[in-house]
Structures are given as C-alpha cells and as structure tokens.
Amino acid sequence: MATEEIHLNDALMADGFDVVETDLGEWIIQLAHETPSHIIVPAIHKTRQQIADLFAEKLGTMTTDEVAELTATARRTLRQRFAAADLGVSGVNFGVAETGTILILENEGNARLTTSLPGHTSP
C-alpha cells in the first residue's frame, strides 16, 4: 500500500519501467486498472468470477472460478515476473534506526522473492 499512497508505481511507469505488484490483491487491482477498495484487502470487491474473467482477458487463461486454479495461475505468472526482474522494491513493517534492523512480515512469500531474487537469476 505504501507505493499506492506515494504513487511510486505511476512515477516508475512514467519513466518507462514495467511495474508489477507483488501482493495478490494489489496485482489483481493493477491488472484491472483500478484503485484498492480496502487497505488490507484491496480486491475485496471482486468476485471469483470477475477475477477469472480478468485473468482470461489479461493473461489468456481459461475461465475458471476455482480458487486453487486462480491462485496457481497468479503464483506461476508472478514468480516468472519476479525471476525476470532487475529490481525489487519492498516496504518494511517496522525499522529501528539505531541498529538498522528491519522486519518484513509477509503471508504470500513474495517479500523474499522481491528482496532477494531480482538480478540473481534468469527466467
């Protein structure tokens, strides 16, 4: 959400960068060219069928409203993009200035891919 708040993605895209959100909900919203509807659950207003239709349109997948298939499609697509990325941007949940200590808490496994994978492998 930090990139949304400071319009970082818009600025990077204006400079010619290909920007891909790493949070699943944020990525769905990015594909739909919308703004988040909720700070914690940005795509809460989308139904499974709407997401299936969006994936079919934007990714060329078969239309399905099976959650496991939709998440597998997202995981496969995003991980390919992470592996091909030259740079990753991440926020932190909290930082300690005195020690330089940071905490990045995640639930999708994408923070590790965003902060350590770019520039180290090829797709």
Side-chain angles (χ1 to χ4, degrees), residues 60-77:
T61 61
M62 298 293 294
T63 301
T64 177
D65 66 352
E66 292 296 322
V67 173
E69 290 180 43
L70 292 170
T71 55
T73 296
R75 179 177 292 119
R76 184 175 50 256
T77 303

Side-chain angles (χ1 to χ4, degrees), residues 18-32:
D18 185 20
V19 177
V20 178
E21 281 291 345
T22 60
D23 174 82
L24 178 58
E26 286 281 341
W27 182 63
I28 290 167
I29 295 305
Q30 183 183 37
L31 285 176

Side-chain angles (χ1 to χ4, degrees), residues 5-82:
E5 293 169 355
I6 64 172
H7 307 283
L8 179 61
N9 291 351
D10 293 334
L12 291 171
M13 288 186 286
D15 282 345
F17 290 94
D18 185 20
V19 177
V20 178
E21 281 291 345
T22 60
D23 174 82
L24 178 58
E26 286 281 341
W27 182 63
I28 290 167
I29 295 305
Q30 183 183 37
L31 285 176
H33 301 288
E34 296 177 3
T35 55
S37 60
H38 189 274
I39 191 168
I40 298 172
V41 191
I44 197 167
H45 63 286
K46 295 282 193 194
T47 66
R48 285 185 291 180
Q49 188 60 53
Q50 289 172 321
I51 294 169
D53 292 343
L54 179 67
F55 283 10
E57 175 190 344
K58 301 292 183 173
L59 306 175
T61 61
M62 298 293 294
T63 301
T64 177
D65 66 352
E66 292 296 322
V67 173
E69 290 180 43
L70 292 170
T71 55
T73 296
R75 179 177 292 119
R76 184 175 50 256
T77 303
L78 286 171
R79 291 200 174 182
Q80 289 171 354
R81 299 298 300 272
F82 297 159

Side-chain angles (χ1 to χ4, degrees), residues 77-96:
T77 303
L78 286 171
R79 291 200 174 182
Q80 289 171 354
R81 299 298 300 272
F82 297 159
D86 294 320
L87 174 73
V89 175
S90 177
V92 300
N93 295 85
F94 68 81
V96 180

